[in-house]
Amino acid sequence: MRLLLIADIHSNLEGFEAAMAAAPAHDAIVNLGDVVGYGAAPNEVTDRCRALKCLTVRGNHDKACSGVTGVESFNPVAGLAALWTKQVLTPENLEWLKQLPQGPLKLDSLADAQFVHGSPLDEDEYVIVIRDAVEPLLRTQLPLTFFGHTHIQGAFSLEADVVETIRPSYRLGSEKESYQIPLRKTARYMINPGSVGQPRDGDPRAAFALFDTSDYSITFHRVPYNIAGAQKRIQTAKLPERLATRLADGR
């Protein structure tokens, strides 16, 4: 089975279209949440996600933008974008986002994996550095946890009480690239495919990943996209300028 993993699209149509166009052949797709928020194409992105009919975990922005939760915990820029998104979403897209399920979720065809937005212990928890990953890795019994939320591509592993950080290593920086990492059946992993629409690891290219059960590997992908087009949408919508400038920074 070849499983395409996407996360944190954040209403970035240009990034999403580039990622899907560059995605290798796959048998199924899992969306790890935050379809909307920040960007200026919430309906276009939500329409495309709905059409995929894939397993989708709700993210914190999906909840806030659909009214499941408020924006009190958001910073002012994120809060303004969430309120704007809620106003412009169609009733159908608003309802679809509102009904997204809370993780952890599972696929019948992949019994050893679970899918979450933040962590298997708390859907809104940020697993950014190794100390954040220790408790989720120790407490979960499944060997594979796929998560999003941090917008940072990479993974954490646990084997023989040793926790390690795994990061893909790229060379080109401005072209399409991939980086394959073999996984060990004796370890537990938390794997983040990175953000399609708003990377925060210093690489502005759209990020996604492919998990292959046949050789038990994860391949991380980066693909350039029309950042200027995504920025123009944000500016035209009169959303905070920071939401546009950060796309070029990958921060």
Side-chain angles (χ1 to χ4, degrees):
M1 180 184 184
R2 290 164 61 87
L3 180 65
L4 179 65
L5 297 152
I6 56 176
D8 298 288
I9 304 167
H10 281 296
S11 299
N12 185 333
L13 180 63
E14 288 77 11
F16 189 27
E17 289 186 333
M20 295 306 295
H26 50 273
D27 304 302
I29 304 171
V30 173
N31 185 336
L32 299 169
D34 276 357
V35 172
V36 294
Y38 295 132
N43 283 306
E44 295 88 340
V45 166
T46 305
D47 285 342
R48 283 160 175 75
C49 287
R50 291 173 62 191
L52 291 175
K53 299 186 183 302
C54 63
L55 183 71
T56 301
V57 186
R58 74 182 186 184
N60 57 314
H61 284 258
D62 301 325
K63 291 188 293 180
C65 292
S66 63
V68 173
T69 60
V71 298
E72 295 80 10
S73 64
F74 282 17
N75 65 58
V77 169
L80 282 170
L83 294 173
W84 176 87
T85 300
K86 186 178 178 182
Q87 290 178 340
V88 303
L89 282 167
T90 66
E92 296 80 10
N93 286 336
L94 189 71
E95 186 61 25
W96 183 81
L97 289 163
K98 191 178 293 186
Q99 297 301 321
L100 287 176
Q102 177 180 348
L105 302 181
K106 296 193 70 178
L107 280 176
D108 291 340
S109 54
L110 195 58
D112 290 340
Q114 61 184 345
F115 305 94
V116 302
H117 183 62
S119 99
L121 307 181
D122 181 345
E123 64 176 332
D124 296 329
E125 180 181 5
Y126 285 94
V127 181
I128 299 174
V129 295
I130 201 164
R131 66 174 177 272
D132 303 326
V134 172
E135 186 176 8
L137 284 168
L138 287 172
R139 289 180 57 181
T140 187
Q141 297 304 308
L142 291 171
L144 297 169
T145 298
F146 296 101
F147 73 107
H149 198 33
T150 68
H151 302 210
I152 299 171
Q153 192 177 62
F156 301 98
S157 67
L158 169 66
E159 185 171 16
D161 295 327
V162 176
V163 181
E164 296 180 328
T165 301
I166 301 167
R167 293 280 183 256
S169 177
Y170 298 112
R171 294 172 299 185
L172 301 178
S174 61
E175 300 179 22
K176 178 181 174 182
E177 281 188 273
S178 63
Y179 188 86
Q180 186 179 52
I181 296 174
L183 304 178
R184 303 182 302 275
K185 292 287 184 75
T186 52
R188 291 182 196 166
Y189 293 92
M190 290 189 70
I191 299 171
N192 191 325
S195 173
V196 169
Q198 198 195 80
R200 296 179 186 169
D201 53 9
D203 186 337
R205 295 174 295 177
F208 59 95
L210 187 83
F211 172 61
D212 193 331
T213 60
S214 62
D215 62 4
Y216 207 61
S217 69
I218 187 78
T219 303
F220 294 108
H221 292 264
R222 298 308 275 252
V223 61
Y225 72 94
N226 181 10
I227 291 176
Q231 291 174 321
K232 184 171 176 54
R233 283 183 189 271
I234 290 169
Q235 292 159 346
T236 301
K238 300 189 185 317
L239 288 166
E241 180 66 17
R242 173 59 181 149
L243 295 175
T245 57
R246 74 184 305 172
L247 295 180
D249 300 332
R251 295 292 182 189

